[in-house]
Coordinates of all heavy atoms in Angstrom, one line a residue:
V1 N 17.8 65.7 98.9 CA 17.3 65.2 97.6 C 18.5 64.8 96.8 O 19.5 65.6 96.7 CB 16.5 66.3 96.9 CG1 16.2 65.9 95.5 CG2 15.2 66.6 97.6
A2 N 18.5 63.6 96.2 CA 19.6 63.2 95.4 C 19.7 64.0 94.1 O 18.7 64.5 93.6 CB 19.4 61.7 95.1
C3 N 20.9 64.0 93.5 CA 21.1 64.7 92.2 C 20.3 64.0 91.2 O 20.2 62.8 91.2 CB 22.6 64.7 91.9 SG 23.6 65.7 92.9
P4 N 19.6 64.8 90.3 CA 18.8 64.2 89.3 C 19.6 63.4 88.2 O 20.8 63.5 88.1 CB 18.0 65.3 88.7 CG 18.9 66.5 89.0 CD 19.6 66.2 90.2
T5 N 18.8 62.8 87.3 CA 19.4 62.0 86.2 C 20.4 62.8 85.4 O 20.2 64.1 85.2 CB 18.2 61.6 85.3 OG1 17.3 60.8 86.0 CG2 18.8 60.7 84.1
N6 N 21.5 62.2 85.0 CA 22.5 62.8 84.2 C 23.4 63.9 84.9 O 24.0 64.7 84.3 CB 22.0 63.4 82.8 CG 21.2 62.3 82.0 OD1 21.7 61.2 82.0 ND2 20.1 62.7 81.4
S7 N 23.3 63.8 86.3 CA 24.1 64.7 87.1 C 24.7 63.9 88.2 O 24.3 62.8 88.5 CB 23.3 65.9 87.6 OG 22.4 65.5 88.5
H8 N 25.7 64.5 88.9 CA 26.3 63.8 90.0 C 26.7 64.8 91.1 O 26.8 66.0 90.8 CB 27.6 63.0 89.6 CG 28.6 63.9 88.9 ND1 28.6 64.3 87.6 CD2 29.7 64.5 89.5 CE1 29.6 65.1 87.4 NE2 30.3 65.3 88.5
G9 N 26.9 64.3 92.3 CA 27.2 65.2 93.5 C 26.7 64.5 94.7 O 26.0 63.5 94.6
T10 N 27.0 65.1 95.8 CA 26.5 64.5 97.1 C 24.9 64.5 97.2 O 24.3 63.5 97.4 CB 27.1 65.3 98.3 OG1 28.5 65.3 98.2 CG2 26.6 64.7 99.6
D11 N 24.4 65.7 96.9 CA 22.9 65.9 96.8 C 22.7 67.3 96.3 O 23.6 68.1 96.1 CB 22.3 65.7 98.2 CG 22.9 66.5 99.3 OD1 23.3 67.7 99.0 OD2 23.0 66.0 100.5
V12 N 21.4 67.6 96.0 CA 21.0 68.9 95.4 C 21.5 70.1 96.3 O 22.1 71.0 95.8 CB 19.5 68.9 95.1 CG1 19.1 70.4 94.7 CG2 19.2 68.0 94.0
P13 N 21.2 70.1 97.6 CA 21.6 71.2 98.4 C 23.2 71.4 98.4 O 23.6 72.6 98.5 CB 21.2 70.9 99.8 CG 20.0 69.9 99.6 CD 20.4 69.1 98.4
S14 N 23.9 70.3 98.3 CA 25.4 70.5 98.3 C 25.9 70.8 96.9 O 27.0 71.3 96.7 CB 26.0 69.2 98.7 OG 25.6 68.8 100.0
G15 N 25.1 70.6 95.9 CA 25.5 71.0 94.5 C 25.6 69.8 93.6 O 26.1 68.7 94.0
C16 N 25.0 69.9 92.5 CA 25.1 68.8 91.5 C 25.8 69.3 90.2 O 25.5 70.5 89.8 CB 23.7 68.3 91.1 SG 22.8 67.6 92.5
S17 N 26.5 68.5 89.6 CA 27.2 68.9 88.3 C 26.7 67.9 87.2 O 26.5 66.8 87.5 CB 28.7 68.8 88.4 OG 29.2 69.7 89.4
C18 N 26.6 68.5 86.0 CA 26.2 67.6 84.9 C 27.3 66.6 84.6 O 28.4 66.9 84.6 CB 25.8 68.4 83.7 SG 24.3 69.5 83.9
D19 N 26.8 65.4 84.2 CA 27.8 64.3 83.8 C 28.5 64.7 82.5 O 28.0 65.6 81.8 CB 27.1 63.0 83.6 CG 26.5 62.4 84.9 OD1 26.9 62.8 86.0 OD2 25.6 61.6 84.8
K20 N 29.6 64.1 82.2 CA 30.3 64.3 81.0 C 29.4 64.1 79.8 O 28.6 63.1 79.8 CB 31.5 63.4 80.9 CG 32.3 63.6 79.6 CD 33.5 62.7 79.6 CE 34.3 63.0 78.3 NZ 35.5 62.1 78.3
G21 N 29.4 65.0 78.9 CA 28.5 64.9 77.7 C 27.1 65.5 77.9 O 26.3 65.4 77.0
Y22 N 26.9 66.1 79.0 CA 25.6 66.8 79.3 C 25.9 68.2 79.7 O 27.0 68.5 80.2 CB 24.9 66.0 80.5 CG 24.4 64.7 80.0 CD1 25.3 63.6 80.1 CD2 23.1 64.5 79.6 CE1 24.9 62.3 79.7 CE2 22.7 63.2 79.2 CZ 23.5 62.2 79.2 OH 23.1 60.9 78.8
T23 N 24.9 69.1 79.6 CA 25.1 70.5 80.0 C 23.8 70.9 80.6 O 22.7 70.4 80.4 CB 25.4 71.3 78.7 OG1 25.8 72.7 79.2 CG2 24.3 71.4 77.7
G24 N 23.9 71.9 81.5 CA 22.8 72.5 82.2 C 23.2 72.9 83.6 O 24.3 73.0 83.9
A25 N 22.2 73.1 84.4 CA 22.4 73.6 85.8 C 21.3 73.0 86.6 O 20.1 73.0 86.2 CB 22.5 75.1 85.9
I26 N 21.6 72.6 87.8 CA 20.7 72.2 88.8 C 20.7 73.1 90.0 O 21.8 73.4 90.5 CB 21.0 70.7 89.3 CG1 21.2 69.8 88.2 CG2 20.0 70.3 90.3 CD1 20.0 69.6 87.3
T27 N 19.6 73.7 90.4 CA 19.5 74.6 91.5 C 18.5 74.1 92.5 O 17.4 73.7 92.2 CB 19.1 76.0 91.0 OG1 19.9 76.4 89.9 CG2 19.1 77.1 92.0
A28 N 18.9 74.2 93.8 CA 18.0 73.8 94.9 C 16.8 74.8 95.0 O 17.0 76.0 94.8 CB 18.8 73.8 96.2
T29 N 15.6 74.2 95.2 CA 14.4 75.1 95.5 C 13.8 74.6 96.7 O 14.1 73.6 97.3 CB 13.5 75.0 94.3 OG1 13.0 73.6 94.2 CG2 14.1 75.4 93.0
T30 N 12.8 75.4 97.2 CA 12.1 75.1 98.4 C 10.8 74.3 98.2 O 10.1 74.0 99.2 CB 11.8 76.3 99.2 OG1 11.0 77.2 98.4 CG2 13.1 77.0 99.7
S31 N 10.4 74.0 97.0 CA 9.2 73.2 96.7 C 9.5 72.0 95.8 O 10.6 72.0 95.2 CB 8.2 74.1 96.0 OG 8.7 74.6 94.8
S32 N 8.7 71.0 95.9 CA 8.9 69.8 95.2 C 9.0 70.0 93.7 O 8.3 70.8 93.2 CB 7.7 68.8 95.5 OG 7.9 67.6 94.9
P33 N 10.0 69.4 93.1 CA 10.9 68.3 93.5 C 12.1 68.7 94.2 O 13.1 68.0 94.4 CB 11.2 67.5 92.2 CG 11.2 68.6 91.2 CD 10.2 69.6 91.6
F34 N 12.1 70.0 94.7 CA 13.2 70.6 95.4 C 14.5 70.9 94.6 O 15.6 71.0 95.2 CB 13.5 69.8 96.7 CG 12.3 69.6 97.6 CD1 11.6 68.5 97.6 CD2 11.8 70.7 98.3 CE1 10.4 68.3 98.4 CE2 10.7 70.6 99.1 CZ 10.0 69.4 99.1
F35 N 14.3 71.0 93.3 CA 15.4 71.5 92.5 C 14.7 71.9 91.2 O 13.6 71.6 90.8 CB 16.4 70.4 92.2 CG 15.9 69.3 91.3 CD1 16.0 69.3 89.9 CD2 15.4 68.1 91.9 CE1 15.6 68.3 89.1 CE2 15.0 67.1 91.1 CZ 15.0 67.1 89.7
S36 N 15.5 72.8 90.5 CA 15.0 73.2 89.1 C 16.2 73.0 88.2 O 17.3 72.9 88.6 CB 14.6 74.7 89.1 OG 15.7 75.5 89.4
G37 N 15.9 72.9 87.0 CA 16.9 72.7 85.9 C 17.0 71.2 85.5 O 16.3 70.4 86.0
A38 N 18.0 71.0 84.6 CA 18.2 69.6 84.1 C 19.5 69.6 83.4 O 20.1 70.7 83.1 CB 17.1 69.2 83.1
C39 N 20.0 68.4 83.2 CA 21.2 68.2 82.4 C 20.8 67.5 81.1 O 20.2 66.4 81.1 CB 22.2 67.3 83.2 SG 22.9 68.2 84.6
Q40 N 21.1 68.2 80.0 CA 20.6 67.7 78.7 C 21.8 67.2 77.9 O 22.9 67.7 78.0 CB 20.0 68.8 77.9 CG 18.7 69.3 78.5 CD 18.1 70.5 77.7 OE1 18.7 71.5 77.6 NE2 16.9 70.2 77.2
A41 N 21.6 66.1 77.1 CA 22.6 65.5 76.3 C 23.2 66.5 75.3 O 22.4 67.3 74.7 CB 22.1 64.3 75.6
T42 N 24.5 66.5 75.1 CA 25.1 67.3 74.0 C 25.5 66.3 72.9 O 25.7 65.1 73.1 CB 26.3 68.1 74.5 OG1 27.3 67.2 74.9 CG2 25.9 69.0 75.7
C43 N 25.8 66.9 71.8 CA 26.3 66.1 70.6 C 27.6 65.4 70.8 O 28.0 64.6 70.0 CB 26.3 67.0 69.4 SG 24.6 67.4 68.8
S44 N 28.3 65.8 71.9 CA 29.6 65.1 72.2 C 29.4 63.6 72.4 O 30.4 62.9 72.3 CB 30.3 65.8 73.4 OG 29.6 65.5 74.6
L45 N 28.2 63.2 72.7 CA 27.9 61.8 73.0 C 27.6 61.0 71.7 O 27.5 59.8 71.7 CB 26.8 61.6 74.0 CG 27.0 62.2 75.3 CD1 25.7 62.1 76.2 CD2 28.1 61.5 76.0
F46 N 27.4 61.7 70.6 CA 26.9 61.1 69.4 C 28.0 61.0 68.3 O 28.7 61.9 68.1 CB 25.7 62.0 68.8 CG 25.0 61.3 67.7 CD1 24.0 60.3 68.0 CD2 25.3 61.5 66.4 CE1 23.3 59.7 66.9 CE2 24.6 60.9 65.3 CZ 23.6 60.0 65.6
T47 N 28.0 59.8 67.7 CA 29.0 59.6 66.6 C 28.2 59.7 65.2 O 27.3 59.0 65.0 CB 29.6 58.2 66.7 OG1 30.3 58.1 68.0 CG2 30.6 58.0 65.6
C48 N 28.7 60.6 64.4 CA 28.1 60.8 63.1 C 28.5 59.7 62.1 O 29.6 59.2 62.2 CB 28.5 62.2 62.5 SG 27.9 63.6 63.5
P49 N 27.6 59.3 61.3 CA 27.9 58.3 60.3 C 28.9 58.8 59.2 O 29.0 60.0 59.1 CB 26.5 57.9 59.7 CG 25.7 59.1 59.9 CD 26.2 59.8 61.1
V50 N 29.4 57.9 58.5 CA 30.3 58.3 57.4 C 29.6 59.2 56.4 O 28.4 59.0 56.1 CB 30.8 57.0 56.6 CG1 31.6 57.3 55.4 CG2 31.7 56.1 57.6
G51 N 30.3 60.3 56.0 CA 29.7 61.2 55.0 C 29.1 62.4 55.7 O 28.6 63.3 55.1
F52 N 29.2 62.4 57.1 CA 28.6 63.5 57.9 C 29.7 64.0 58.8 O 30.5 63.2 59.3 CB 27.4 63.1 58.6 CG 26.2 62.8 57.8 CD1 26.1 61.6 57.1 CD2 25.2 63.8 57.6 CE1 25.0 61.3 56.3 CE2 24.2 63.6 56.7 CZ 24.0 62.3 56.1
K53 N 29.7 65.3 59.2 CA 30.6 65.8 60.2 C 29.8 66.3 61.4 O 28.7 66.7 61.3 CB 31.4 67.0 59.5 CG 30.7 68.2 59.1 CD 31.5 69.2 58.4 CE 30.7 70.4 57.9 NZ 31.5 71.4 57.3
P54 N 30.5 66.2 62.5 CA 29.8 66.6 63.8 C 29.6 68.2 63.9 O 30.4 68.9 63.4 CB 30.7 66.1 64.9 CG 32.0 66.0 64.3 CD 31.8 65.7 62.8
K55 N 28.5 68.6 64.4 CA 28.3 70.0 64.8 C 29.1 70.2 66.1 O 29.6 69.2 66.6 CB 26.8 70.2 65.0 CG 26.0 70.2 63.7 CD 24.5 70.5 63.9 CE 23.7 70.4 62.6 NZ 22.3 70.6 62.8
P56 N 29.2 71.4 66.5 CA 30.0 71.7 67.7 C 29.5 70.8 68.9 O 28.3 70.5 69.0 CB 29.7 73.1 68.0 CG 29.4 73.7 66.7 CD 28.7 72.7 65.9
S57 N 30.5 70.3 69.7 CA 30.2 69.3 70.7 C 29.2 69.8 71.8 O 28.6 69.0 72.5 CB 31.4 68.8 71.3 OG 32.1 69.8 72.0
D58 N 29.1 71.1 71.9 CA 28.1 71.6 72.9 C 26.7 71.8 72.4 O 25.8 72.3 73.1 CB 28.7 72.9 73.5 CG 28.9 74.0 72.5 OD1 28.8 73.8 71.3 OD2 29.1 75.2 72.9
T59 N 26.5 71.4 71.1 CA 25.1 71.5 70.6 C 24.3 70.5 71.3 O 24.7 69.4 71.6 CB 25.1 71.1 69.1 OG1 26.0 72.0 68.4 CG2 23.8 71.2 68.4
L60 N 23.0 70.9 71.7 CA 22.1 70.0 72.4 C 21.5 68.9 71.5 O 21.1 69.3 70.4 CB 21.0 70.7 73.1 CG 21.4 71.7 74.2 CD1 20.2 72.4 74.8 CD2 22.1 70.9 75.3
G61 N 21.5 67.7 71.9 CA 20.9 66.7 71.1 C 21.6 65.4 71.2 O 22.7 65.2 71.8
N62 N 21.0 64.3 70.6 CA 21.6 63.0 70.6 C 21.0 62.2 69.4 O 20.5 61.1 69.6 CB 21.4 62.3 71.9 CG 22.3 61.1 72.0 OD1 23.3 61.0 71.3 ND2 22.1 60.2 73.0
S63 N 21.1 62.9 68.2 CA 20.6 62.2 67.0 C 21.3 62.8 65.8 O 21.9 63.8 65.9 CB 19.1 62.5 66.8 OG 18.9 63.8 66.5
Q64 N 21.3 62.0 64.7 CA 22.0 62.5 63.5 C 21.4 63.8 63.0 O 22.2 64.7 62.7 CB 21.8 61.5 62.4 CG 22.5 61.9 61.1 CD 22.5 60.8 60.0 OE1 22.5 59.7 60.3 NE2 22.5 61.2 58.8
A65 N 20.1 64.0 63.1 CA 19.5 65.2 62.6 C 19.9 66.5 63.4 O 20.1 67.5 62.9 CB 17.9 65.1 62.7
L66 N 20.1 66.3 64.7 CA 20.6 67.4 65.6 C 22.1 67.6 65.7 O 22.6 68.7 65.9 CB 20.0 67.2 67.0 CG 18.5 67.2 67.1 CD1 18.1 66.8 68.5 CD2 17.9 68.6 66.8
C67 N 22.8 66.5 65.5 CA 24.3 66.5 65.8 C 25.2 66.5 64.6 O 26.4 66.7 64.7 CB 24.6 65.4 66.7 SG 23.8 65.5 68.3
C68 N 24.7 66.2 63.4 CA 25.5 66.0 62.2 C 25.1 66.9 61.0 O 23.9 67.2 60.9 CB 25.5 64.5 61.8 SG 25.9 63.4 63.1
E69 N 26.0 67.2 60.2 CA 25.7 67.9 59.0 C 26.5 67.2 57.8 O 27.6 66.7 58.1 CB 26.0 69.4 59.0 CG 27.3 69.7 59.5 CD 27.5 71.2 59.7 OE1 26.5 71.9 60.2 OE2 28.5 71.8 59.5
A70 N 25.9 67.1 56.7 CA 26.5 66.5 55.6 C 27.7 67.2 55.1 O 27.8 68.4 55.2 CB 25.5 66.4 54.4
V71 N 28.7 66.4 54.7 CA 30.0 67.0 54.2 C 29.7 67.4 52.7 O 29.3 66.6 51.9 CB 31.1 66.0 54.3 CG1 32.4 66.5 53.6 CG2 31.4 65.6 55.7
A72 N 30.0 68.6 52.4 CA 29.8 69.1 51.0 C 30.8 68.4 50.1 O 31.9 68.0 50.4 CB 30.1 70.6 51.0
C73 N 30.4 68.3 48.8 CA 31.3 67.8 47.8 C 32.5 68.7 47.6 O 32.4 69.9 47.7 CB 30.5 67.7 46.4 SG 29.2 66.4 46.4
P74 N 33.7 68.1 47.4 CA 34.9 68.9 47.3 C 34.9 69.7 46.0 O 34.2 69.5 45.1 CB 36.0 67.9 47.4 CG 35.4 66.6 46.9 CD 33.9 66.7 47.3
T75 N 35.9 70.7 46.0 CA 36.1 71.5 44.8 C 36.4 70.6 43.6 O 36.9 69.5 43.7 CB 37.4 72.3 45.1 OG1 37.2 73.1 46.2 CG2 37.7 73.2 43.9
N76 N 35.9 71.0 42.5 CA 36.0 70.3 41.2 C 35.1 69.1 41.1 O 35.4 68.1 40.4 CB 37.4 70.0 40.8 CG 38.3 71.2 40.7 OD1 37.9 72.3 40.2 ND2 39.5 71.2 41.3
S77 N 34.1 69.0 41.9 CA 33.1 67.9 41.9 C 31.7 68.5 42.1 O 31.6 69.7 42.5 CB 33.4 66.9 42.9 OG 33.2 67.3 44.2
K78 N 30.7 67.7 41.8 CA 29.3 68.2 42.0 C 28.5 67.1 42.6 O 28.8 65.9 42.5 CB 28.7 68.7 40.7 CG 28.6 67.6 39.6 CD 28.1 68.2 38.3 CE 28.1 67.2 37.2 NZ 29.4 67.1 36.5
G79 N 27.4 67.5 43.2 CA 26.5 66.6 43.9 C 25.9 67.3 45.1 O 26.3 68.3 45.5
D80 N 24.9 66.6 45.7 CA 24.3 67.2 46.9 C 25.3 67.3 48.1 O 25.4 68.3 48.7 CB 23.1 66.4 47.3 CG 21.9 66.5 46.3 OD1 21.8 67.6 45.6 OD2 21.0 65.6 46.3
D81 N 26.0 66.2 48.3 CA 26.9 66.1 49.4 C 27.6 64.7 49.3 O 27.2 63.9 48.5 CB 26.3 66.3 50.8 CG 25.1 65.3 51.1 OD1 25.3 64.1 51.0 OD2 24.0 65.8 51.3
V82 N 28.7 64.5 50.1 CA 29.4 63.3 50.1 C 28.6 62.1 50.4 O 28.7 61.0 49.7 CB 30.7 63.4 51.0 CG1 31.4 62.1 51.1 CG2 31.6 64.5 50.5
A83 N 27.7 62.2 51.3 CA 26.9 61.0 51.7 C 26.0 60.6 50.6 O 25.8 59.4 50.4 CB 26.1 61.3 52.9
K84 N 25.5 61.5 49.8 CA 24.6 61.2 48.7 C 25.4 60.9 47.4 O 24.8 60.3 46.5 CB 23.6 62.3 48.4 CG 22.6 62.5 49.6 CD 21.6 63.6 49.3 CE 20.7 63.8 50.5 NZ 19.9 65.0 50.4
G85 N 26.6 61.3 47.3 CA 27.5 61.0 46.2 C 27.9 62.3 45.4 O 27.1 63.2 45.2
C86 N 29.1 62.3 45.0 CA 29.7 63.4 44.3 C 30.4 62.8 43.0 O 30.9 61.7 43.1 CB 30.8 64.1 45.1 SG 30.3 64.7 46.7
T87 N 30.4 63.5 42.0 CA 31.0 63.1 40.7 C 32.0 64.2 40.3 O 31.7 65.4 40.6 CB 30.0 62.8 39.6 OG1 29.2 64.0 39.4 CG2 29.1 61.7 39.9
C88 N 33.1 63.8 39.7 CA 34.1 64.8 39.2 C 33.5 65.7 38.1 O 32.8 65.2 37.2 CB 35.3 64.1 38.8 SG 36.2 63.3 40.1
D89 N 33.9 66.9 38.1 CA 33.5 67.9 37.1 C 34.2 67.5 35.8 O 35.2 66.7 35.8 CB 33.9 69.3 37.4 CG 33.0 69.9 38.5 OD1 31.9 69.4 38.8 OD2 33.5 70.9 39.2
A90 N 33.7 68.0 34.6 CA 34.3 67.7 33.3 C 35.8 68.2 33.4 O 36.1 69.2 33.9 CB 33.6 68.4 32.2
G91 N 36.7 67.3 32.9 CA 38.1 67.6 32.9 C 38.8 67.2 34.1 O 40.0 67.3 34.2
F92 N 38.1 66.5 35.0 CA 38.7 66.0 36.3 C 38.4 64.5 36.4 O 37.3 64.1 36.0 CB 38.2 66.8 37.5 CG 38.7 68.2 37.5 CD1 37.9 69.2 36.9 CD2 39.9 68.5 38.2 CE1 38.4 70.5 36.9 CE2 40.3 69.9 38.2 CZ 39.5 70.9 37.6
A93 N 39.3 63.8 36.9 CA 39.1 62.3 37.1 C 39.3 61.9 38.5 O 40.0 62.6 39.3 CB 40.0 61.5 36.2
G94 N 38.7 60.8 38.9 CA 38.8 60.3 40.3 C 37.5 60.0 40.9 O 36.5 59.8 40.2
S95 N 37.5 59.7 42.2 CA 36.3 59.4 42.8 C 36.3 60.1 44.2 O 37.3 60.4 44.8 CB 36.1 57.9 43.0 OG 37.1 57.4 43.7
V96 N 35.1 60.3 44.7 CA 34.9 60.8 46.1 C 34.3 59.8 46.9 O 33.2 59.3 46.6 CB 34.0 62.1 46.0 CG1 33.8 62.6 47.5 CG2 34.7 63.2 45.1
T97 N 35.0 59.4 48.0 CA 34.5 58.3 48.9 C 34.4 58.8 50.3 O 35.4 59.4 50.8 CB 35.4 57.1 48.8 OG1 35.5 56.7 47.4 CG2 34.9 55.9 49.6
A98 N 33.3 58.6 51.0 CA 33.2 59.0 52.4 C 34.1 58.1 53.2 O 34.1 56.9 53.0 CB 31.8 58.9 52.8
I99 N 34.8 58.6 54.2 CA 35.6 57.8 55.1 C 35.2 58.2 56.5 O 34.6 59.2 56.8 CB 37.1 58.0 54.9 CG1 37.5 59.5 55.0 CG2 37.5 57.5 53.5 CD1 39.0 59.8 55.0
A100 N 35.6 57.4 57.5 CA 35.1 57.6 58.9 C 35.9 58.7 59.6 O 35.4 59.2 60.6 CB 35.3 56.3 59.6
Q101 N 37.1 59.1 59.2 CA 37.8 60.2 59.9 C 38.1 61.3 59.0 O 38.1 61.2 57.8 CB 39.0 59.6 60.6 CG 40.1 59.1 59.6 CD 39.9 57.6 59.3 OE1 38.9 57.0 59.6 NE2 40.9 57.0 58.6
S102 N 38.5 62.5 59.6 CA 38.9 63.6 58.8 C 40.1 63.4 58.0 O 41.0 62.7 58.5 CB 39.2 64.8 59.8 OG 38.3 65.8 59.6
P103 N 40.1 63.9 56.7 CA 41.3 63.6 55.9 C 42.5 64.4 56.4 O 42.4 65.3 57.2 CB 40.9 64.1 54.5 CG 39.7 64.9 54.7 CD 39.1 64.6 56.0

């Protein structure tokens, strides 16, 4: 039996490993489909939009809701989060702008 989707190797009896960006285990069995387990996508495959930071790369998922969390407004500012907008507190000046990479 060939290795299942998102895994690679010679075949199931010889052993299958999950592809890069996937996690799980494939084990040979004696009944159809002759293996158990699966390789599931991890958040390492997902790119978060500006204003969001990635959750740990081994988190299961492949969507913004599962893989990203909003970046909190910095000290001396207020707002829900960077993606929704932050404003400087009284006595402070400047602006908060989301960028694509870590500062």
Side-chain angles (χ1 to χ4, degrees):
V1 172
C3 291
T5 304
N6 303 321
S7 69
H8 60 277
T10 304
D11 53 35
V12 171
S14 299
C16 301
S17 298
C18 292
D19 294 340
K20 183 178 180 180
Y22 292 82
T23 189
I26 308 297
T27 305
T29 63
T30 57
S31 58
S32 184
F34 304 104
F35 69 88
S36 64
C39 294
Q40 298 177 295
T42 64
C43 289
S44 67
L45 299 173
F46 190 82
T47 301
C48 295
V50 172
F52 291 83
K53 62 183 176 181
K55 291 182 180 176
S57 62
D58 61 349
T59 302
L60 294 180
N62 196 14
S63 70
Q64 181 176 329
L66 295 172
C67 297
C68 307
E69 53 190 34
V71 174
C73 290
T75 303
N76 302 318
S77 69
K78 61 181 173 278
D80 290 336
D81 54 58
V82 173
K84 292 179 183 169
C86 306
T87 56
C88 293
D89 289 340
F92 293 88
S95 63
V96 176
T97 304
I99 58 173
Q101 64 273 11
S102 243

